[in-house]
Amino acid sequence: MKDTIYLDNNATTRILDEVWQEMTPYFIQNYANASSVYHQMGRAANAAVQQARSQVAEALHCSPKEIFFNSGATESINTVLRGVFDKYQSQGNHIITAATEHKAVLSCCEQLKKQGGKITYLPVDRQGHISLADLKNAITSKTILICLMAANNETGVLSELEEIAAICAKEDILFFCDATQAIGKITIDLQQLPVDLLCLSAHKMHGPKGAGALYIRRKSKPIQLTPLVLGGGQENGFRGGTYNVPAIVGLGKAISKLSPKAYEPVEAYRDLLEAELSKIPEIIIHGQKTLRLPTTSYISFKHILASEIMTACPTLALSSGSACVTGSREPSHVLLAMGVSKEDALSAIRFSLSVLTTREEVLQCAQLITATVQKIRDQSPVWQLYKAGLLS
């Protein structure tokens, strides 16, 4: 057995070998500033940035002029939410999002509330979906932005992007989509999908940490955003600061290497893992009855804390939810919004696979989890009470 079986890929992924090889020359040989275009090394670094921009644009089916590099999705989320709120004050102060969005969205929205913003948090059903009727009913004359993710980072549940985008287009409201978990795993064609703003991070798709991109659709009436980071005018003034050339090169290479087809065997391994773990009594596979990412399985093991299981399995790299809040003792806000009890939410473990995950790793993981759950339950007074019918 390997020292560690890594199944925490929704938190971060390993850089692909070919991505690392593409990046390394820009650490050692051509380390020039991409804005120093008056010498050959600077121009070469700038050309590498533009090539990466074209690679991202090709993957998303948009223009390179619509792609702006930054440090990742959290920065993009702050840029869009704060930037739209600032620039569209004359039109309104209302933003619509969902209770299950990433904490970066929810935290930013809470901050905007303190500045006079009105935020609507749409509820979700047991599978994690918003109601399109609720979305339509929430829209007012003051609504300036709708912010909904493509795929949930904890459950992997996919949003109805086409329907949401159509509603936004009909109402002439900006639609911002956090597609961080979805890029490369499902098809997102921005020629067909009328999203106005979209963000992604390299480290979720086998690229480096600290690199991301924000897509801003070019429209006859340009989308206005107040820059979050001011500097030397890089990225057409949308994002100042020296270009992180190696990371941007890695982002471009990574996004060019992945496609939904590459994840077909991953989905088969995910289904195999769930089939094996379903032999354990009293588990809940969250979002199983709807469309999910091929990589993600979020499972509650009733009457056991997730932390107990993970502590007892030191050779497994797993998480109990979003990496941004996984150190918290609070249950997943996503599961609570889906109507899951606090007890069951605290027993939930996220298994997230990648294109590097093997069938052997999946089977070894299932074997370890099965044995561990049985051992903990055998020693648990709570489980004995449940078996005796004294707990529900």
Side-chain angles (χ1 to χ4, degrees):
M1 184 181 292
K2 291 174 60 176
D3 290 342
T4 300
I5 296 174
Y6 186 82
L7 296 179
D8 194 21
N9 289 280
N10 282 17
T12 198
T13 53
R14 201 205 84 171
I15 289 181
L16 295 174
D17 292 344
E18 50 265 56
V19 172
W20 176 244
Q21 290 163 10
E22 195 87 0
M23 292 170 61
T24 49
Y26 297 95
F27 287 110
I28 306 298
Q29 286 93 24
N30 188 1
Y31 46 83
N33 190 317
S35 298
S36 298
V37 294
Y38 291 105
H39 57 74
Q40 191 277 331
M41 285 179 65
R43 288 192 295 273
N46 187 273
V49 169
Q50 301 317 319
Q51 179 184 0
R53 198 184 309 278
S54 294
Q55 289 171 314
V56 175
E58 183 178 355
L60 298 178
H61 303 279
C62 65
S63 167
K65 293 180 180 179
E66 296 174 306
I67 299 299
F68 300 88
F69 291 121
N70 58 25
S71 66
T74 295
E75 183 181 330
S76 289
I77 288 165
N78 277 265
T79 297
V80 172
L81 291 174
R82 294 171 185 272
V84 168
F85 183 76
D86 181 57
K87 285 290 189 179
Y88 290 81
Q89 290 268 350
S90 62
Q91 296 183 31
N93 65 344
H94 182 220
I95 295 172
I96 300 173
T97 187
T100 51
E101 288 292 305
H102 192 278
K103 281 291 186 179
V105 169
L106 301 180
S107 297
C108 198
C109 285
E110 285 302 301
Q111 188 65 35
L112 293 179
K113 279 178 67 175
K114 297 175 183 177
Q115 299 172 27
K118 183 178 179 182
I119 314 296
T120 296
Y121 300 97
L122 298 173
V124 298
D125 62 20
R126 298 287 296 190
Q127 298 303 316
H129 289 296
I130 65 163
S131 159
L132 296 177
D134 285 349
L135 174 59
K136 292 175 184 177
N137 292 335
I139 294 171
T140 74
S141 61
K142 298 294 185 181
T143 305
I144 54 175
L145 182 70
I146 292 173
C147 174
L148 295 166
M149 57 176 30
N152 189 270
N153 52 301
E154 295 189 22
T155 63
V157 169
L158 302 180
S159 298
E160 298 176 281
L161 290 185
E162 291 82 5
E163 292 82 354
I164 294 167
I167 292 169
C168 294
K170 182 180 179 181
E171 299 290 340
D172 194 24
I173 297 169
L174 293 175
F175 177 26
F176 171 42
C177 180
D178 172 8
T180 308
Q181 292 291 348
I183 296 296
K185 301 166 190 170
I186 64 171
T187 299
I188 294 183
D189 183 343
L190 294 174
Q191 286 190 347
Q192 304 298 322
L193 183 68
V195 171
D196 297 300
L197 304 121
L198 177 143
C199 67
L200 57 90
S201 290
H203 71 108
K204 305 294 188 182
M205 51 180 166
H206 300 283
K209 299 174 185 67
L214 173 62
Y215 160 80
I216 306 174
R217 185 177 291 277
R218 300 183 85 192
K219 306 176 81 168
S220 56
K221 186 178 180 181
I223 295 172
Q224 302 295 307
L225 288 177
T226 303
L228 185 68
V229 180
L230 297 171
Q234 293 90 346
E235 297 301 272
N236 286 343
F238 275 117
R239 206 273 186 179
T242 301
Y243 286 106
N244 185 351
V245 178
I248 290 171
V249 167
L251 166 56
K253 185 68 173 180
I255 202 169
S256 72
K257 295 294 295 182
L258 296 178
S259 69
K261 189 169 183 62
Y263 284 91
E264 289 176 4
V266 183
E267 183 170 15
Y269 293 156
R270 192 273 313 271
D271 292 347
L272 173 63
L273 176 66
E274 291 183 351
E276 291 297 312
L277 293 180
S278 291
K279 298 173 184 177
I280 301 172
E282 295 300 320
I283 70 165
I284 307 168
I285 303 175
H286 301 288
Q288 188 182 27
K289 296 179 181 179
T290 190
L291 293 175
R292 291 177 291 160
L293 291 174
T295 55
T296 309
S297 184
Y298 202 16
I299 303 177
S300 288
F301 299 86
K302 292 179 73 69
H303 303 301
I304 310 178
L305 289 173
S307 56
E308 286 185 80
I309 300 171
M310 292 187 291
T311 300
C313 297
T315 59
L316 297 180
L318 304 168
S319 73
S320 56
S322 171
C324 299
V325 293
T326 200
S328 169
R329 293 179 181 272
E330 293 301 309
S332 161
H333 74 282
V334 173
L335 293 184
L336 294 182
M338 291 168 61
V340 176
S341 71
K342 182 176 180 179
E343 180 188 20
D344 288 343
L346 286 170
S347 75
I349 295 176
R350 184 183 67 185
F351 303 82
S352 48
L353 289 61
S354 82
V355 292
L356 301 177
T357 303
T358 67
R359 187 175 189 274
E360 180 185 23
E361 288 175 325
V362 165
L363 291 173
Q364 289 176 350
C365 172
Q367 188 177 39
L368 279 170
I369 291 291
T370 300
T372 300
V373 169
Q374 181 175 340
K375 182 178 180 181
I376 293 173
R377 282 177 170 172
D378 285 346
Q379 299 172 354
S380 168
V382 174
W383 182 250
Q384 302 309 319
L385 288 171
Y386 169 76
K387 285 180 66 177
L390 299 175
L391 283 179
S392 59

